[in-house]
Amino acid sequence: MIVILRQDPDKAQLDSLITWLKGKGMDVHESRGTSQLVLGLVGDTTQIDIDLISALDIVEDVKRVQEPYKKANRKFHPEDTVIPVGDTQVGGGNLTIIAGPCSVESREQLLTIARLVKEAGATMLRGGAFKPRTSPYSFQGLGPEGLDILREAREETGLPIVTEIMDAADLPYFEDIDVLQVGARNMQNFDLLKAIGQTGQPVLLKRGMSATYQELLMSAEYIMSEGNEKVILCERGIRTFESYTRNTFDVSAVPVLRKLSHLPIVVDPSHAGGKRELVAPLALAGVAAGADGLEIEVHHDPARALSDGPQALLPDAFAKLVKQMNAMHDLVEEL
Amino acid sequence: MIVILRQDPDKAQLDSLITWLKGKGMDVHESRGTSQLVLGLVGDTTQIDIDLISALDIVEDVKRVQEPYKKANRKFHPEDTVIPVGDTQVGGGNLTIIAGPCSVESREQLLTIARLVKEAGATMLRGGAFKPRTSPYSFQGLGPEGLDILREAREETGLPIVTEIMDAADLPYFEDIDVLQVGARNMQNFDLLKAIGQTGQPVLLKRGMSATYQELLMSAEYIMSEGNEKVILCERGIRTFESYTRNTFDVSAVPVLRKLSHLPIVVDPSHAGGKRELVAPLALAGVAAGADGLEIEVHHDPARALSDGPQALLPDAFAKLVKQMNAMHDLVEEL
Amino acid sequence: MIVILRQDPDKAQLDSLITWLKGKGMDVHESRGTSQLVLGLVGDTTQIDIDLISALDIVEDVKRVQEPYKKANRKFHPEDTVIPVGDTQVGGGNLTIIAGPCSVESREQLLTIARLVKEAGATMLRGGAFKPRTSPYSFQGLGPEGLDILREAREETGLPIVTEIMDAADLPYFEDIDVLQVGARNMQNFDLLKAIGQTGQPVLLKRGMSATYQELLMSAEYIMSEGNEKVILCERGIRTFESYTRNTFDVSAVPVLRKLSHLPIVVDPSHAGGKRELVAPLALAGVAAGADGLEIEVHHDPARALSDGPQALLPDAFAKLVKQMNAMHDLVEEL
Amino acid sequence: MIVILRQDPDKAQLDSLITWLKGKGMDVHESRGTSQLVLGLVGDTTQIDIDLISALDIVEDVKRVQEPYKKANRKFHPEDTVIPVGDTQVGGGNLTIIAGPCSVESREQLLTIARLVKEAGATMLRGGAFKPRTSPYSFQGLGPEGLDILREAREETGLPIVTEIMDAADLPYFEDIDVLQVGARNMQNFDLLKAIGQTGQPVLLKRGMSATYQELLMSAEYIMSEGNEKVILCERGIRTFESYTRNTFDVSAVPVLRKLSHLPIVVDPSHAGGKRELVAPLALAGVAAGADGLEIEVHHDPARALSDGPQALLPDAFAKLVKQMNAMHDLVEEL
């Protein structure tokens, strides 16, 4: 950590700062230039709150050299993390394909889609039972009943299930759910992250709409610091000035998170683009960039499709895309 | 709502769409041009999910004409809402000044600051007991004990208290809190919003870092649709490409929200700028733009100020700013 | 075009608007709802300035249904455009690989790199002679002398040359340059676009840092409306809140521009990411998403590499990447 | 400047870097920690290109401590710059009010508006003769004839004139223009900036839609480094995810630029908000934040207002706003 002081800092305040820093176990190196004094701090700076130091009148700026996350940091954990889920594994050279409808609407709907995606080559089943909707007047999901339908689909198809949890109070309903999904809007719902951290269940943690890579990793750190290291990171598009696409799919997240962290990385091309015709090119771009998996929305009945978003693929298109993604993943592994 | 159809839409699907829309109580007007057919929907479109229609293969685009919020909408509630809090009122020509430390750290710290801000002219006291921190290794707040300290300060100074709630499960602790604050990171924590909507307590709802005006109003609608209409909107800076300031203070939010909604509007210049020297100019800009109030961080002891953010004002600077804001508010009321 | 009127519009103004619109050749359809009147305009709306109508007091909002560009629009030109450059072609199933240094620094430097990228499989040579630098104190390029060095490299290697033009007044220097590059900062330098539109030379038009897809296509339209239809679109990253990467590579631009326009699309993974280690994954993502080509920075001498950006690849890494991109392009063509 | 090295940097490359830095006149301080080596550079770092150092394999990151601009920097020029224009002055406690139509459309139109804004209290007249339009099919301005009309209005009203220049080749037309305006789209048209830098004429430099404060100041530096120090900075809104307003008016720009630079600062509330009803609140917010002036669009004939943007004020509303802005400016000067 580098502390840049204002010109001619008050001597007493400077001494007090240095003493305080040393008390926190830091080695402090002074670098005096023609116009400015800079302090270099050496030691475990993850526990030092950058805002606290910035608050001092004698300080002009503070810059971090080390990342503020540890357990999610590749520097302290060089090997890729591989997370077992049911009979499959996330990471470790596998291509995880999570597919299913946006919402669980009925037993029939979910079972039909579950069979179709299983046959097409999906490795996990998704479907929302608790739904975060921007409008209080929109369908809010079937709740616990939806989870039961997911369990039935798991039993029939053997596919592990991935479904969103929105409130720590609902955790008892999710005890045997294979992967807990934390949505973009809850990425910094810290109470939820801590509660999930105590379960030991695999988590799919979606990047917030305006979260930096570092903030995503700090949210992973919240879960991991409670003892649960089974975190799967998910890029699902960020909010930018471009409104043609629902979000801007930030494909750079894949190689950047790969470098910064050892956790597996999944992409969600359905929510990122928000348009059916973008799902396939964005999915392929994600695989080409090195993603460990994808989460893709599929619906089965276009005639009465007034129940799914404009980004859902039809089963045939999904089946074709699975073949393409697997071929591309094979090529990426070879390259 | 306007539905723009693709060229040469399938006749059967089109008929089915029109039938479905009419079933939802819509009047449907067709407008056939040289190359495209457009449907104009007339009726209460707040209950229609725009995504559902966009999902149809025959639909190219859907555009809303009416806002999807009702209870927060000025069109259906032309008079400004005024919210009584303790002996004071938010809105209605008053300038609400909410001041205090970022976090409640100790009885002594809070009582000292509470007295100082009261004397300087603040009308409410703020202080965090449950703190949303990006790092799990940072101080997370005193919790219920912090709330007790706030109550003691209220008793002594008579200032109503504003403090953040992060999880619906904590509501029992907040029963007699004057204003529940929902932080930017929880603006779309819909379970929390619904639970608060059932309390009837005044709420200070902060705009999410990348939330549009409409999304902020939809989150207010969540609270209001449960029966609690005491919502105070708060602009606290949005995330943009400019990183010199912590966030970009979007002062336009004040006149825009004033036009769209009848709810009172408060600004938070401390978090928006993230730097002490920006608090006063941004606060004055907010008042000049017509804000009903401000939330400002104040700390009292710079010598050991390793406990508050770089954006907190010292008591003297705060006292001077209160005079300036009141003078400016008087001028704005006159103009 | 849809014109949404305010409640109870002034009758005289409304009649005047409708008369004016009809005078512009529009058919005007009125759609009167419970609370609002909407006008649907049918006809060639590209010539109607949306701001002019929005300015009227009786108008609440105006929404376009049709795109405001024509010559760049796939609707009016369904076939993909293929642009011949030297012996090669951009578009039409070819993968164009444009490589070379950021700046032409010396005859020796450029010739060395030109030979290396030719051997590695590049199909065009890039190099800046006129450089847009954010600081007036940075190297501004060799100017006309740099163009001569590029010509020499072209003669020796046979590679067509791509180089940036910053001012219409410099066009005489660029007469035999194969592809004129317009940089992101000049995407809306309309005088430059018009002047280039009169040359008939192929143009590589880079997307501005905060330009929407539509704005990029409108800039292409500026060139095309002067008679030059040889425009190659280039995605080079947009500016967002994320500052870890220099820009955010918007890979969605490839399928979106493909849908909206018939012009070929190239991506620039070097400037998008701004980091050497991101060039390969972003390049592969671009190819997977369907790009017609790439522009990649290469430098040859890391020992004295104080002359090129952190995003330049070494020749060996570039040679390996060319093989990977070609393999991926073959796969994409097959899929 | 701080150079953070990768772990275990190659000794020979490190020595070579240090030697090179010393050759550039830098003092180099090494700070060796437990896991990383950091170099602190002391000296005039404005001439060092941060990208060049970042390019080295042994370097992980480079952070600037000093700003890369000098002539625009308050540190080297503590006194506020005051720029005389005609009989008036920009800066120095004056409130400059620049008003007029978006475009010069006719002699009659401009003279009418010029008289009205003069009477209302404007101190300069604006009007575009060369117009940057996103569409090639929109009105591009009257060109030199428009400048003549502006001159006539100046003669009659005594108001200095402000008008946009888009291409250095047009400079001869602008010889006696009081203030040259550089539009947001040309903020990084470096050839134009340099050419203007050689004229000595006052310049109103608008912030680019996605330009940081530092980039705006670097563009000012381009003009100043050619010998022209009469630069007026202008905040006119930045591009963000919020699309309700045309741009997001970044009022923080006023106090931030005031701190970083000695140049006067003007705001443009008309283009920032893009809506008539936002002009007054944003203008007042700008004055409250400490702006030296404003640029405001005014048109006079709403009945045939199909020629001006939705953000133009009518003369009466403008006259009222001038009174309000002057009252607020008086208050700000007193506070």
Side-chain angles (χ1 to χ4, degrees):
Chain A
M1 193 175 282
I2 305 289
V3 180
I4 299 153
L5 297 164
R6 290 188 196 270
Q7 290 183 325
D8 305 317
D10 179 84
K11 184 74 177 58
Q13 288 189 40
L14 178 58
D15 288 347
S16 142
L17 171 62
I18 291 173
T19 305
W20 183 83
L21 289 167
K22 286 183 174 165
K24 291 274 180 187
M26 295 292 116
D27 278 353
V28 181
H29 298 250
E30 299 187 30
S31 208
R32 196 174 296 269
T34 47
S35 67
Q36 242 153 342
L37 180 65
V38 172
L39 304 181
L41 310 192
V42 176
D44 176 11
T45 56
T46 54
Q47 319 257 350
I48 291 193
D49 191 335
I50 202 166
D51 285 349
L52 304 192
I53 298 176
S54 307
L56 292 175
D57 284 335
I58 57 170
V59 172
E60 180 158 320
D61 204 0
V62 183
K63 295 173 193 278
R64 266 191 197 285
V65 175
Q66 279 180 308
E67 299 83 8
Y69 45 93
K70 282 176 134 173
K71 289 180 181 292
N73 196 331
R74 186 175 284 278
K75 281 191 190 154
F76 305 121
H77 187 311
E79 296 297 303
D80 282 352
T81 284
V82 180
I83 299 176
V85 178
D87 294 339
T88 177
Q89 291 188 317
V90 182
N94 301 290
L95 189 69
T96 298
I97 300 176
I98 307 168
C102 180
S103 303
V104 180
E105 287 169 60
S106 70
R107 193 174 164 276
E108 190 196 342
Q109 171 242 25
L110 188 77
L111 289 176
T112 307
I113 298 180
R115 286 170 204 134
L116 285 165
V117 301
K118 160 85 176 182
E119 197 184 311
T123 62
M124 296 195 205
L125 176 67
R126 64 152 285 156
F130 294 80
K131 296 296 303 171
R133 306 300 305 262
T134 39
S135 168
Y137 310 120
S138 297
F139 174 55
Q140 309 274 320
L142 294 179
E145 187 198 332
L147 296 181
D148 284 341
I149 297 175
L150 284 164
R151 287 184 185 98
E152 189 179 340
R154 173 174 60 185
E155 191 149 3
E156 186 183 319
T157 62
L159 294 177
I161 52 185
V162 182
T163 191
E164 180 160 352
I165 180 161
M166 293 169 62
D167 191 338
D170 295 329
L171 269 173
Y173 296 125
F174 286 76
E175 264 179 15
D176 67 338
I177 296 301
D178 301 283
V179 180
L180 304 177
Q181 180 167 309
V182 175
R185 291 177 181 79
N186 274 321
M187 192 201 84
Q188 294 192 320
N189 180 339
F190 300 119
D191 284 320
L192 178 60
L193 299 179
K194 282 191 242 180
I196 288 175
Q198 283 161 10
T199 66
Q201 286 170 273
V203 190
L204 184 71
L205 177 64
K206 294 199 149 188
R207 181 182 183 186
M209 268 187 298
S210 61
T212 61
Y213 304 135
Q214 180 169 303
E215 287 168 342
L216 173 59
L217 291 171
M218 288 308 289
S219 288
E221 190 83 7
Y222 253 97
I223 299 168
M224 298 171 87
S225 70
E226 298 285 331
N228 182 355
E229 308 219 341
K230 298 182 194 148
V231 180
I232 304 161
L233 305 171
C234 180
E235 161 63 30
R236 46 75 76 203
I238 57 173
R239 186 161 272 187
T240 71
F241 64 85
E242 177 60 76
S243 60
Y244 183 92
T245 46
R246 189 190 299 171
N247 296 286
T248 294
F249 180 51
D250 180 13
V251 73
S252 308
V254 179
V256 170
L257 293 172
R258 182 75 72 218
K259 183 189 168 199
L260 299 179
S261 180
H262 51 89
L263 297 170
I265 303 150
V266 157
V267 299
D268 175 346
S270 304
H271 283 90
K275 289 181 197 291
R276 190 170 298 135
E277 71 251 28
L278 294 179
V279 176
L282 299 189
L284 293 172
V287 175
D292 295 301
L294 304 101
E295 186 170 30
I296 293 175
E297 281 191 19
V298 177
H299 77 65
H300 68 304
D301 184 2
R304 52 173 288 282
L306 293 171
S307 50
D308 229 319
Q311 73 271 7
L313 286 189
L314 294 179
D316 282 356
F318 174 68
K320 185 176 164 204
L321 178 58
V322 171
K323 288 202 185 73
Q324 294 176 326
M325 293 189 296
N326 282 326
M328 180 147 307
H329 184 246
D330 289 347
L331 177 63
V332 169
E333 293 282 301
E334 265 173 48
L335 290 180
Chain B
M1 195 176 280
I2 306 290
V3 180
I4 300 153
L5 298 165
R6 291 187 196 269
Q7 289 184 323
D8 306 316
D10 178 84
K11 184 74 176 62
Q13 288 189 39
L14 178 57
D15 289 346
S16 143
L17 171 63
I18 290 171
T19 305
W20 183 83
L21 289 168
K22 288 182 173 165
K24 290 275 179 185
M26 297 290 115
D27 278 355
V28 181
H29 298 249
E30 300 187 30
S31 207
R32 196 173 298 268
T34 47
S35 67
Q36 242 151 343
L37 181 64
V38 172
L39 304 182
L41 310 191
V42 176
D44 175 12
T45 56
T46 55
Q47 320 258 350
I48 292 194
D49 191 337
I50 201 165
D51 284 350
L52 305 193
I53 298 175
S54 307
L56 292 174
D57 283 337
I58 58 170
V59 172
E60 179 158 318
D61 204 358
V62 183
K63 296 174 194 280
R64 264 191 197 285
V65 175
Q66 280 180 307
E67 300 83 8
Y69 47 92
K70 280 179 138 173
K71 290 179 181 291
N73 196 333
R74 186 176 282 278
K75 282 191 188 153
F76 305 121
H77 187 312
E79 296 296 304
D80 282 350
T81 284
V82 180
I83 299 176
V85 177
D87 294 338
T88 178
Q89 290 188 317
V90 183
N94 301 290
L95 188 69
T96 297
I97 301 176
I98 307 168
C102 181
S103 303
V104 180
E105 288 168 60
S106 70
R107 194 174 163 276
E108 191 197 341
Q109 172 243 22
L110 189 76
L111 288 177
T112 306
I113 298 181
R115 287 171 203 136
L116 286 165
V117 300
K118 162 81 176 184
E119 198 185 309
T123 62
M124 294 196 205
L125 175 67
R126 62 152 287 155
F130 294 80
K131 298 297 303 171
R133 306 301 305 262
T134 38
S135 167
Y137 310 121
S138 297
F139 174 55
Q140 310 273 318
L142 294 179
E145 187 199 331
L147 296 181
D148 284 340
I149 297 175
L150 284 164
R151 287 184 186 99
E152 190 179 340
R154 172 173 62 185
E155 191 148 2
E156 187 184 317
T157 62
L159 295 176
I161 51 185
V162 182
T163 191
E164 180 160 353
I165 180 162
M166 294 168 61
D167 191 338
D170 295 328
L171 269 174
Y173 296 124
F174 286 76
E175 265 179 16
D176 66 340
I177 295 300
D178 301 283
V179 181
L180 303 177
Q181 179 168 308
V182 175
R185 292 179 179 78
N186 273 322
M187 192 201 85
Q188 293 192 320
N189 180 338
F190 301 119
D191 284 319
L192 178 61
L193 300 178
K194 281 191 243 179
I196 288 175
Q198 285 161 8
T199 66
Q201 287 170 272
V203 190
L204 183 72
L205 177 64
K206 294 200 147 187
R207 181 183 184 186
M209 269 187 298
S210 61
T212 61
Y213 304 135
Q214 180 168 304
E215 287 168 342
L216 173 60
L217 291 170
M218 289 308 288
S219 287
E221 190 84 6
Y222 254 97
I223 297 168
M224 298 171 87
S225 70
E226 297 286 331
N228 182 355
E229 308 219 342
K230 298 182 194 147
V231 180
I232 304 161
L233 305 171
C234 180
E235 160 63 30
R236 44 77 73 203
I238 55 174
R239 187 161 271 188
T240 70
F241 64 84
E242 177 61 74
S243 61
Y244 183 92
T245 45
R246 190 188 300 170
N247 297 286
T248 294
F249 179 53
D250 181 13
V251 72
S252 308
V254 178
V256 170
L257 294 172
R258 182 75 72 218
K259 183 188 170 199
L260 299 177
S261 179
H262 51 88
L263 297 171
I265 304 149
V266 157
V267 299
D268 175 346
S270 305
H271 284 90
K275 288 181 199 292
R276 191 170 298 136
E277 71 251 28
L278 294 178
V279 176
L282 298 188
L284 294 172
V287 175
D292 295 301
L294 303 101
E295 187 170 30
I296 293 176
E297 282 191 20
V298 177
H299 75 67
H300 69 305
D301 184 4
R304 51 174 289 283
L306 294 169
S307 48
D308 229 320
Q311 73 271 6
L313 286 189
L314 294 179
D316 282 355
F318 174 67
K320 186 178 164 202
L321 178 58
V322 170
K323 288 201 185 73
Q324 295 177 326
M325 293 189 298
N326 281 326
M328 181 149 302
H329 185 245
D330 289 346
L331 177 64
V332 170
E333 291 283 299
E334 265 173 46
L335 290 178
Chain C
M1 193 175 283
I2 306 290
V3 180
I4 299 152
L5 297 165
R6 290 187 196 270
Q7 288 185 326
D8 306 316
D10 178 85
K11 183 76 176 59
Q13 287 188 41
L14 177 57
D15 288 347
S16 144
L17 171 63
I18 291 173
T19 305
W20 183 83
L21 289 168
K22 287 182 174 165
K24 291 274 178 186
M26 296 292 115
D27 278 355
V28 181
H29 298 249
E30 300 186 31
S31 209
R32 197 173 296 268
T34 48
S35 68
Q36 241 153 341
L37 180 64
V38 172
L39 304 181
L41 311 191
V42 176
D44 175 11
T45 57
T46 56
Q47 319 256 351
I48 291 193
D49 192 336
I50 202 165
D51 284 349
L52 305 192
I53 298 175
S54 306
L56 292 174
D57 283 335
I58 56 170
V59 172
E60 179 158 321
D61 203 359
V62 183
K63 296 173 193 278
R64 265 190 197 285
V65 176
Q66 278 180 309
E67 300 83 8
Y69 46 91
K70 280 178 135 174
K71 289 179 181 292
N73 196 331
R74 186 177 284 278
K75 282 191 188 153
F76 305 120
H77 187 312
E79 295 297 305
D80 283 350
T81 284
V82 180
I83 300 176
V85 178
D87 294 338
T88 176
Q89 292 188 317
V90 183
N94 301 290
L95 188 70
T96 297
I97 300 176
I98 307 168
C102 179
S103 304
V104 179
E105 287 169 60
S106 71
R107 192 174 165 277
E108 192 196 341
Q109 173 244 22
L110 188 75
L111 288 177
T112 306
I113 298 180
R115 286 173 204 133
L116 287 164
V117 301
K118 162 81 176 185
E119 199 184 310
T123 62
M124 294 195 206
L125 176 66
R126 62 151 287 157
F130 294 80
K131 296 298 303 173
R133 305 302 304 265
T134 38
S135 168
Y137 309 121
S138 297
F139 175 54
Q140 308 275 318
L142 293 179
E145 189 198 330
L147 297 180
D148 284 341
I149 296 174
L150 284 163
R151 288 184 185 99
E152 191 179 339
R154 171 174 62 187
E155 192 148 2
E156 188 184 317
T157 61
L159 295 176
I161 52 186
V162 182
T163 190
E164 181 161 350
I165 180 161
M166 292 169 62
D167 191 338
D170 294 329
L171 269 174
Y173 296 125
F174 286 76
E175 266 180 14
D176 66 338
I177 296 300
D178 302 284
V179 180
L180 303 176
Q181 180 168 309
V182 175
R185 291 179 180 80
N186 274 321
M187 192 201 85
Q188 293 192 320
N189 180 338
F190 300 119
D191 284 317
L192 178 60
L193 299 179
K194 282 190 241 179
I196 287 175
Q198 284 161 11
T199 66
Q201 287 170 272
V203 190
L204 183 72
L205 177 65
K206 294 198 148 186
R207 182 183 184 187
M209 268 186 299
S210 61
T212 60
Y213 303 135
Q214 180 169 303
E215 287 169 342
L216 173 60
L217 292 170
M218 288 308 289
S219 287
E221 190 84 7
Y222 253 96
I223 298 168
M224 298 171 87
S225 70
E226 297 285 330
N228 182 356
E229 309 218 339
K230 298 181 194 148
V231 180
I232 304 160
L233 305 171
C234 180
E235 160 63 29
R236 45 78 72 202
I238 57 173
R239 187 161 272 187
T240 71
F241 65 84
E242 177 59 77
S243 61
Y244 184 92
T245 46
R246 189 189 300 171
N247 297 285
T248 294
F249 180 53
D250 180 14
V251 73
S252 308
V254 178
V256 171
L257 294 171
R258 182 76 71 217
K259 183 189 170 199
L260 299 178
S261 179
H262 51 88
L263 298 171
I265 303 150
V266 157
V267 299
D268 175 347
S270 304
H271 283 90
K275 289 181 197 293
R276 192 169 298 135
E277 72 250 29
L278 295 178
V279 176
L282 299 188
L284 294 172
V287 174
D292 296 300
L294 303 102
E295 187 170 28
I296 292 175
E297 280 191 21
V298 177
H299 76 64
H300 69 304
D301 184 3
R304 51 173 288 284
L306 294 170
S307 50
D308 230 319
Q311 73 271 7
L313 285 189
L314 294 179
D316 282 357
F318 174 67
K320 185 177 165 203
L321 177 58
V322 171
K323 288 201 185 73
Q324 294 176 325
M325 294 189 297
N326 282 326
M328 179 143 312
H329 185 246
D330 289 346
L331 177 63
V332 170
E333 292 283 300
E334 266 172 47
L335 292 177
Chain D
M1 193 175 280
I2 306 289
V3 180
I4 300 153
L5 298 165
R6 289 187 195 272
Q7 290 184 323
D8 305 317
D10 178 85
K11 183 76 176 64
Q13 287 189 41
L14 177 57
D15 288 346
S16 143
L17 170 63
I18 291 173
T19 305
W20 183 84
L21 288 168
K22 288 182 174 166
K24 289 275 179 186
M26 296 291 116
D27 279 354
V28 181
H29 298 249
E30 299 188 29
S31 208
R32 197 173 296 270
T34 46
S35 68
Q36 240 152 345
L37 181 65
V38 172
L39 303 182
L41 310 192
V42 176
D44 176 13
T45 56
T46 56
Q47 318 258 351
I48 292 193
D49 191 337
I50 202 165
D51 285 350
L52 304 194
I53 298 175
S54 307
L56 292 175
D57 284 336
I58 56 171
V59 172
E60 179 158 319
D61 204 359
V62 183
K63 296 177 194 276
R64 264 190 198 285
V65 175
Q66 280 180 307
E67 301 83 8
Y69 46 93
K70 281 177 134 174
K71 290 179 182 292
N73 195 331
R74 187 177 283 277
K75 280 191 191 155
F76 305 121
H77 187 312
E79 295 296 304
D80 282 352
T81 283
V82 179
I83 299 176
V85 177
D87 294 338
T88 178
Q89 291 187 314
V90 183
N94 301 289
L95 188 70
T96 297
I97 300 176
I98 307 168
C102 179
S103 302
V104 180
E105 286 169 61
S106 71
R107 193 176 163 275
E108 191 197 341
Q109 171 243 21
L110 188 75
L111 288 176
T112 306
I113 298 180
R115 287 171 204 135
L116 286 165
V117 300
K118 161 82 176 184
E119 198 184 310
T123 62
M124 295 195 205
L125 176 66
R126 63 151 288 154
F130 294 81
K131 297 298 304 171
R133 306 301 306 263
T134 40
S135 167
Y137 309 122
S138 297
F139 174 54
Q140 309 274 317
L142 293 179
E145 188 198 332
L147 296 181
D148 284 341
I149 297 174
L150 283 165
R151 287 185 186 100
E152 191 179 339
R154 172 173 61 185
E155 191 148 5
E156 188 185 317
T157 61
L159 295 176
I161 51 184
V162 182
T163 191
E164 179 161 353
I165 180 160
M166 292 168 62
D167 191 336
D170 294 330
L171 268 174
Y173 296 126
F174 286 76
E175 266 180 14
D176 66 339
I177 296 300
D178 302 284
V179 181
L180 304 176
Q181 179 168 309
V182 176
R185 291 179 181 78
N186 274 321
M187 192 201 83
Q188 292 191 320
N189 180 338
F190 300 118
D191 284 320
L192 178 60
L193 300 179
K194 282 191 242 180
I196 288 175
Q198 284 161 9
T199 66
Q201 288 169 271
V203 190
L204 184 71
L205 177 64
K206 294 199 148 188
R207 182 183 183 186
M209 268 186 299
S210 62
T212 61
Y213 304 135
Q214 180 168 303
E215 286 168 343
L216 172 59
L217 291 171
M218 288 306 289
S219 287
E221 189 84 6
Y222 253 98
I223 298 169
M224 299 171 88
S225 70
E226 297 284 331
N228 182 356
E229 308 219 340
K230 299 182 194 146
V231 180
I232 305 160
L233 304 171
C234 181
E235 161 62 30
R236 45 75 74 203
I238 56 173
R239 186 160 273 186
T240 70
F241 64 84
E242 176 60 74
S243 61
Y244 183 92
T245 46
R246 190 189 300 168
N247 297 286
T248 295
F249 179 50
D250 180 13
V251 73
S252 308
V254 179
V256 170
L257 294 172
R258 182 75 71 217
K259 184 189 170 199
L260 299 178
S261 179
H262 51 88
L263 297 170
I265 303 150
V266 157
V267 299
D268 176 346
S270 305
H271 283 90
K275 288 183 196 293
R276 191 170 298 136
E277 71 252 28
L278 294 179
V279 177
L282 299 189
L284 294 172
V287 175
D292 297 299
L294 304 101
E295 188 171 29
I296 292 176
E297 282 191 20
V298 177
H299 75 65
H300 68 304
D301 184 3
R304 51 174 289 281
L306 294 170
S307 50
D308 230 318
Q311 74 270 7
L313 286 188
L314 294 179
D316 282 355
F318 174 68
K320 185 178 165 204
L321 178 58
V322 171
K323 288 202 186 72
Q324 295 176 324
M325 293 190 297
N326 282 324
M328 180 146 307
H329 185 245
D330 290 345
L331 177 64
V332 170
E333 291 283 299
E334 265 172 48
L335 291 178

